[in-house]
């Protein structure tokens, strides 16, 4: 969409792509704590859209839609990361869960059951499940976040990455796919429903025959397993 002078018509693009910003914000909001406002996500995504307009270069090969989509989502994730809403105590607990999972996998040679993880943490199963609910709010988001390094967003346009960077990204994705394949069947199905089919927690609960709270627990546990595997293979 260009002006008579051959420049991008920013006003027309803004009008056309603002609905995309809202769709992305809505899709993201269902995975976040209730304290995160939709308007805040939309505002961050709009900033990302404006940045995309300023930085887009058609000569680099990527379409504007692809470039803008990545910038919008990246801006929303950056906004969420900057808030750092998870208390330090919960972060410490999440690290303790990861350590327990790592130790048990090494000892047992398989994915540990939640009862085994709870026993290793020396807490009743009910307390362990409550802990999973608490930590789930910090396990945000798409697979890119699991593969992020140094807290930096990986949602940059492929057109801006070198071939070597793209190769590294493909290798990380392959390690993630392999780690997912090693998850217990129910957690593997949950991850597919959540990230590929993009079902919300209520819908996933209906498929699995469990409550939304239980879906949160299973998701948190699956993410912990994946973090351990990716750290080991990284």
């Amino acid at each position: 969409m260009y002006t008579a002078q051959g420049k991008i018509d920013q006003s027309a693009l803004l009008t056309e792509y603002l609905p995309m910003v809202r769709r992305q914000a809505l899709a993201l909001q269902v995975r976040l704590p209730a304290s995160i406002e939709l308007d805040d996500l939309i505002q961050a995504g709009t900033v990302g859209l404006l940045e995309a307009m300023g930085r887009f270069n058609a000569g680099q090969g990527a379409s504007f839609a692809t470039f803008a989509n990545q910038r919008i989502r990246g801006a929303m994730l950056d906004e969420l990361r900057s808030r750092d809403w998870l208390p330090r105590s919960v972060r410490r607990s999440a690290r303790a869960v990861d350590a327990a999972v790592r130790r048990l996998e090494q000892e047992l040679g398989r994915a540990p059951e939640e009862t085994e993880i709870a026993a290793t943490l020396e807490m009743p199963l009910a307390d362990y499940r409550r802990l999973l609910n608490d930590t789930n709010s910090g396990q945000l988001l798409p697979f890119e976040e699991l593969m992020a390094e140094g807290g930096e967003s990986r949602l940059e346009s492929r057109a801006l990455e070198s071939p070597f960077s793209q190769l590294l990204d493909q290798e990380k994705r392959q390690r993630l796919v392999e780690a997912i394949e090693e998850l217990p069947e129910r957690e593997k199905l949950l991850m597919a429903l959540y990230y590929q089919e993009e079902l919300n927690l209520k819908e996933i609960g209906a498929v699995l025959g469990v409550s939304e709270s239980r879906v949160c627990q299973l998701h948190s546990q699956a993410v912990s397993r994946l973090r351990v595997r990716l750290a080991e293979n990284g």
Side-chain angles (χ1 to χ4, degrees):
M1 211 172 281
Y2 295 88
T3 65
Q5 290 74 34
K7 297 182 179 180
I8 290 180
D9 187 339
Q10 293 196 351
S11 177
L13 277 179
L14 189 62
T15 300
E16 179 179 353
Y17 283 94
L18 278 177
M20 175 194 287
V21 173
R22 181 174 177 82
R23 286 196 301 273
Q24 291 234 28
L26 286 168
L28 202 54
Q29 189 189 34
V30 300
R31 304 177 180 183
L32 299 171
S35 59
I36 303 300
E37 297 287 341
L38 178 65
D39 287 347
D40 292 340
L41 293 174
I42 291 174
Q43 181 177 0
T46 302
V47 171
L49 175 58
L50 293 172
E51 290 177 349
M53 291 178 185
R55 298 184 62 174
F56 179 66
N57 184 347
Q60 291 182 314
S63 70
F64 180 77
T66 299
F67 186 81
N69 183 69
Q70 292 167 337
R71 286 287 172 180
I72 291 167
R73 192 171 183 83
M76 291 180 186
L77 293 178
D78 287 343
E79 168 67 16
L80 291 170
R81 191 181 299 110
S82 70
R83 295 188 176 205
D84 194 23
W85 67 77
L86 205 62
R88 289 183 180 180
S89 60
V90 177
R91 292 192 181 280
R92 286 195 297 270
S93 297
R95 289 194 294 269
V97 172
D98 289 356
V101 170
R102 182 180 299 108
R103 183 163 73 251
L104 286 169
E105 286 195 349
Q106 292 172 348
E107 292 175 357
L108 302 173
R110 59 170 172 79
E113 302 287 340
E114 63 178 353
T115 52
E116 295 169 329
I117 300 172
T120 298
L121 293 170
E122 299 181 345
M123 62 175 60
L125 180 59
D127 289 349
Y128 172 63
R129 287 180 172 178
R130 278 194 291 271
L131 174 60
L132 290 177
N133 276 335
D134 291 340
T135 59
N136 190 66
S137 295
Q139 321 291 13
L140 303 180
L141 310 172
F143 293 153
E144 286 87 347
E145 287 298 292
L146 286 173
M147 296 186 294
E149 291 183 354
E152 297 179 357
S153 174
R154 297 290 301 160
L155 295 175
E156 296 292 336
S157 169
R158 296 296 183 269
L160 298 179
E161 294 182 351
S162 69
F164 180 67
S165 295
Q166 292 183 42
L167 177 60
L168 289 178
D169 191 60
Q170 291 170 3
E171 290 176 351
K172 289 180 180 179
R173 287 178 178 273
Q174 182 57 38
R175 291 201 301 271
L176 180 56
V177 169
E178 292 170 355
I180 291 171
E181 284 300 313
E182 295 176 1
L183 288 174
E185 287 301 320
R186 186 159 60 163
E187 292 177 20
K188 188 191 305 184
L189 174 59
L190 185 156
M191 300 299 275
L193 294 173
Y194 193 43
Y195 291 109
Q196 295 176 11
E197 302 299 326
E198 297 189 343
L199 300 187
N200 61 36
L201 300 182
K202 183 176 181 180
E203 292 167 334
I204 294 172
V207 173
L208 298 181
V210 299
S211 67
E212 290 183 50
S213 177
R214 184 64 178 140
V215 173
C216 286
Q217 294 164 6
L218 292 170
H219 174 261
S220 182
Q221 191 165 259
V223 170
S224 181
R225 296 188 204 274
L226 291 176
R227 279 202 305 262
V228 168
R229 291 297 176 89
L230 291 174
E232 290 174 347
N233 297 332

